[in-house]
Amino acid sequence: MKITAVETYWTRIPFDMGGKPAVMGGLNWQTMNSIWLRIMTDQGLDGWGEAFGHAAAATTIAALDTQLAPALLGQDARDIAGLRLRFGKAFHGFGRNGPHVFALSALDIALWDIAGKAAGLPLWRLLGGTPVASMTSYASLLRYGDARLVAAACERALAQGYRDVKLHEITVPEVAAARAALGPQAKLMVDTNCPWTVWQAIDMAHLMEPSDLTWFEEPVWPPGDYEGLARVRLEGGLPIAAGENAAGLHDFRAAFEAGAVDVAQPSVIKIGGPSAMVEIAALAKAFGVRVVPHNAYFGAGFLASLHCNAALAPDAPFERLFIDLEASPYHEVVVAKDGQITVPDGPGLGRDPDMDVLQRYLVAKPTVHKG
């Protein structure tokens, strides 16, 4: 099954979060930037993938268009493991994290989509999962930087059927406001995006402890300081989650060996696609670490993350950004109803994007690579 064409798309879709967003992860979020990869084959099967976009969209699509996409033409789309190995070696000189790994993540997702379509099976089935009709989702709020807005967002989340909430706040009043709004029964998580030294993180963990956090996510800069993170885990008194910024399987092994994390959070569009997720889940099981996949996107990576969650961590909640997109190429598939996300049971990812919607929100004309 030869790859005959590769297409890349960059979409930018406005959203509403119920307030003006604060800067988070280097981005003042106003729109959802997504990088899409479409792989076409000589047997009429297409596969869709997504590479990490957001503030990295321009560099990620450049890596796809100038290096990965041209190299894919003529390759066998069935050779998922082989392509992953060969291209991983070919592009290792550009770093073990960043745009090239994001691009390879999109490739892996697209190839698994094709594999599922060829087999007539959903991705979760190919990954060894058992049937799951839906996943319990938690509302993942963007950063407001305002206690009043945080409380209002938590109240909206509860009203929409979510039971649990994750914040991206970095100050105590906002976290305390969320707990007060949610009440004592809801699980409350905080993802801080690596802002502090080890000592600052320990202090902040103690200050946030009264809010009864289920986990304290990515509190230490730099994100690869697992010895420091282990110290925060030991002295801060809160369960630690990390992994969104991991550079690969070796990073997870280092974190597990250091005793740094309670919850591993690999991101399918950053870490290497479903193939990498399978490896990380197996390693986490060996170390007794819980896996809760990270999901902060709405393209093909949303569906891939959902399938991986259902197959590899069926008891873990599914992360869904608490925003209202102006439109989605997947329509109702990315919408949580009463806090539940339906798991697609169609072949591959289970749904191809609506091209009319995708085309409407393009940043520029798609790039088409043909042999």
Side-chain angles (χ1 to χ4, degrees):
M1 187 189 299
K2 298 297 183 183
I3 296 173
T4 57
V6 178
E7 299 175 352
T8 58
Y9 303 79
W10 176 359
T11 57
R12 183 180 290 150
I13 301 177
F15 63 78
D16 178 28
M17 58 177 281
K20 185 178 179 181
V23 174
M24 186 181 84
L27 183 66
N28 189 350
W29 292 55
Q30 302 286 342
T31 57
M32 181 60 56
N33 283 268
S34 301
I35 301 300
W36 305 71
L37 175 69
R38 184 183 189 182
I39 294 178
M40 308 173 80
T41 70
D42 60 0
Q43 294 188 17
L45 294 176
D46 296 354
W48 286 90
E50 181 182 1
F52 185 73
H54 302 328
T59 51
T60 299
I61 202 166
L64 277 167
D65 284 334
T66 63
Q67 294 183 293
L68 182 59
L72 285 172
L73 297 174
Q75 300 288 340
D76 187 344
R78 297 168 298 185
D79 189 16
I80 299 176
L83 289 173
R84 182 181 180 225
L85 177 62
R86 294 197 297 277
F87 286 129
K89 288 183 176 179
F91 298 127
H92 82 277
F94 301 103
R96 293 187 296 173
N97 201 0
H100 288 82
V101 179
F102 304 162
L104 290 171
S105 301
L107 169 62
D108 197 72
I109 294 169
L111 294 179
W112 278 103
D113 189 25
I114 291 172
K117 290 172 178 174
L121 296 171
L123 176 55
W124 57 261
R125 180 72 78 181
L126 294 185
L127 298 179
T130 57
V132 179
S134 64
M135 298 290 298
T136 298
S137 180
Y138 66 89
S140 185
L141 280 57
L142 294 180
R143 184 172 297 161
Y144 293 88
D146 182 306
R148 178 183 58 83
L149 293 177
V150 169
C154 289
E155 290 169 357
R156 290 197 307 275
L158 290 177
Q160 292 179 25
Y162 290 99
R163 297 198 302 267
D164 305 320
V165 167
K166 183 166 82 174
L167 308 178
H168 286 83
E169 305 296 332
I170 54 174
T171 50
V172 175
E174 283 70 28
V175 177
R179 173 51 73 195
L182 293 170
Q185 301 303 317
K187 293 180 180 177
L188 177 63
M189 295 75 75
V190 175
D191 181 356
T192 60
N193 295 111
C194 306
W196 300 309
T197 66
V198 170
W199 313 115
Q200 290 171 327
I202 291 171
D203 289 342
M204 292 303 294
H206 288 307
L207 290 172
M208 292 184 183
E209 189 173 6
S211 292
D212 188 23
L213 301 186
T214 297
W215 70 64
F216 194 40
E217 186 174 337
E218 302 279 6
V220 173
W221 175 264
D225 181 8
Y226 296 121
E227 295 297 333
L229 195 61
R231 187 153 194 171
V232 175
R233 180 174 180 257
L234 179 65
E235 298 183 22
L238 293 177
I240 296 295
E244 176 197 350
N245 296 302
L249 187 66
H250 59 283
D251 257 19
F252 281 96
R253 178 178 290 277
F256 298 162
E257 289 178 344
V261 296
D262 301 279
V263 179
Q265 293 206 292
S267 179
V268 72
I269 68 172
K270 297 178 78 173
I271 201 65
S275 296
M277 298 289 279
V278 170
E279 294 176 342
I280 293 164
L283 186 66
K285 184 177 181 180
F287 278 88
V289 174
R290 188 184 185 203
V291 174
V292 182
H294 186 270
N295 178 68
Y297 23 86
F298 288 94
F302 181 101
L303 297 186
S305 185
L306 183 56
H307 284 276
C308 288
N309 212 139
L312 305 175
D315 296 327
F318 181 73
E319 180 176 13
R320 205 271 186 187
L321 283 184
F322 191 59
I323 61 176
D324 294 321
L325 292 171
E326 184 174 281
S328 168
Y330 289 128
H331 298 291
E332 81 289 347
V333 176
V334 299
V335 176
K337 298 178 181 178
D338 295 324
Q340 298 287 315
I341 293 283
T342 299
V343 180
D345 60 2
L349 294 178
R351 179 73 70 92
D352 285 344
D354 181 330
M355 294 303 295
D356 289 338
V357 177
L358 193 149
Q359 295 280 355
R360 192 188 317 156
Y361 292 97
L362 285 176
V363 174
K365 290 183 178 180
T367 301
V368 179
H369 304 263
K370 292 186 176 179

